[in-house]
């Protein structure tokens, strides 16, 4: 139930949805002659749109997340295992067209492939089921195994965790599989902006992982200012950043992490 509530909440709370809700509230207030409420709602909608589309606010918020946790030092002889969190494949498109279609987070699997070839003794644990509302598609653990096989990494090296739909479930389900297979001291591969929350959730369960962030979306040099050159890109950065900050807050308030902003 929590999974579906969080999905619906974010569907309504993301910046462009919020702006639309505020505009509709303003229209309704106008029809009811509530002029002050109409003005407040319209101004709020305009502010949300302006900050989202025409400033670098989203880039700065995302950059703060990306800079929080750096890559760990590799252990002597390389890692015994590599945990890769799902979210890198377009499951619906793959189901319709086949092949390997990646999201922006596909770097998680490209980087894992590079590490797998560099450290041929390391086991690979892919954590990711079908996170869609319908649950009708193959999850990243299934698709990812085929992806690695296509590039010469045998399925016998891969441990598949196919049930998780979000990061909280990633951590809990992975814990059981690591214990079952006698693995510890693993690299954790996920998007850089996603690493603080992921590390926090794993630590809460007593799992110490070696962070290996990838899929950077910012240059590391972003600063607050106006940006009229790329409104669609700015909107995407803002949406990703606010979703992750919201996830951090929810995880902390729900007692799933020890700290609001793990480091």
């Amino acid at each position: 139930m929590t999974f579906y509530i969080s999905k619906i909440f974010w569907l309504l709370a993301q910046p462009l949805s919020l702006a639309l809700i505020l505009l509709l509230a303003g229209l309704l207030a106008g029809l009811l002659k509530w002029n002050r409420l109409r003005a407040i709602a319209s101004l709020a909608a305009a502010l949300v749109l302006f900050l989202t589309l025409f400033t670098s606010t989203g880039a700065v918020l995302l950059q703060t997340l990306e800079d929080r946790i750096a890559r760990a030092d590799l252990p002597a002889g390389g890692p015994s295992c590599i945990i890769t969190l799902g979210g890198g494949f377009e499951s619906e498109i793959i189901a319709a067209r086949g092949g390997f279609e990646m999201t922006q987070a596909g770097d998680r699997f490209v980087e894992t492939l590079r590490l797998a070839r560099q450290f041929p003794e390391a086991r690979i644990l892919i954590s990711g089921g079908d996170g869609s509302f319908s649950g009708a598609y193959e999850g990243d653990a299934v698709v990812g195994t085929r992806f690695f096989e296509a590039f010469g990494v045998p399925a016998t090296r891969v441990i598949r965790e196919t049930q998780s739909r979000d990061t909280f479930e990633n951590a809990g389900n992975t814990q059981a599989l690591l214990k079952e297979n006698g693995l510890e001291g693993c690299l954790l591969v996920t998007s850089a902006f996603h690493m603080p929350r992921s590390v926090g959730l794993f630590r809460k369960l007593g799992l110490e992982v070696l962070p290996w962030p990838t899929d950077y979306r910012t240059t590391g040099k972003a600063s607050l200012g106006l940006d009229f050159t790329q409104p669609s890109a700015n909107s995407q950065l803002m949406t990703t950043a606010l979703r992750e900050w919201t996830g951090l807050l929810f995880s902390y308030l729900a007692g799933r992490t020890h700290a609001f902003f793990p480091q």
Side-chain angles (χ1 to χ4, degrees), residues 31-205:
L31 291 174
L32 296 174
K33 306 300 183 181
W34 297 343
N35 294 329
R36 178 173 295 182
L37 182 59
R38 179 184 63 182
I40 292 173
S42 299
L43 182 62
L47 181 61
V48 169
L49 288 173
F50 180 76
L51 289 175
T52 299
L53 299 175
F54 302 118
T55 75
S56 60
T57 304
V60 171
L61 289 172
L62 200 63
Q63 181 175 272
T64 302
L65 292 164
E66 292 183 337
D67 290 345
R68 185 65 167 176
I69 297 179
R71 286 185 176 178
D73 294 328
L74 289 171
S80 62
C81 61
I82 304 163
I83 302 167
T84 305
L85 300 188
F89 291 103
E90 294 280 8
S91 298
E92 186 173 356
I93 296 175
I94 291 171
R97 297 181 179 274
F100 302 109
E101 301 300 330
M102 290 184 164
T103 67
Q104 276 188 288
D107 285 359
R108 303 179 188 185
F109 287 86
V110 174
E111 181 62 16
T112 299
L113 175 62
R114 186 188 71 79
L115 290 165
R117 299 180 71 166
Q118 182 178 354
F119 303 107
E121 300 301 317
R123 300 293 303 277
I124 302 164
L125 193 159
I126 310 173
S127 179
D130 179 10
S132 68
F133 272 115
S134 67
Y137 305 106
E138 291 182 322
D140 279 26
V142 176
V143 178
T145 302
R146 292 204 305 269
F147 173 77
F148 290 138
E149 282 189 292
F151 287 92
V153 179
T156 53
R157 286 182 62 187
V158 179
I159 302 168
R160 303 193 306 185
E161 187 285 292
T162 62
Q163 301 303 311
S164 59
R165 300 167 298 175
D166 56 29
T167 313
F168 177 64
E169 293 180 357
N170 284 146
N173 295 340
T174 295
Q175 181 186 39
L177 285 174
L178 291 177
K179 184 176 181 180
E180 179 182 325
N181 288 273
L183 297 171
E184 58 183 17
C186 302
L187 289 185
L188 177 63
V189 179
T190 190
S191 301
F193 67 83
H194 187 236
M195 188 60 76
R197 180 157 59 103
S198 302
V199 167
L201 290 167
F202 274 77
R203 282 179 181 163
K204 181 71 174 182
L205 295 176

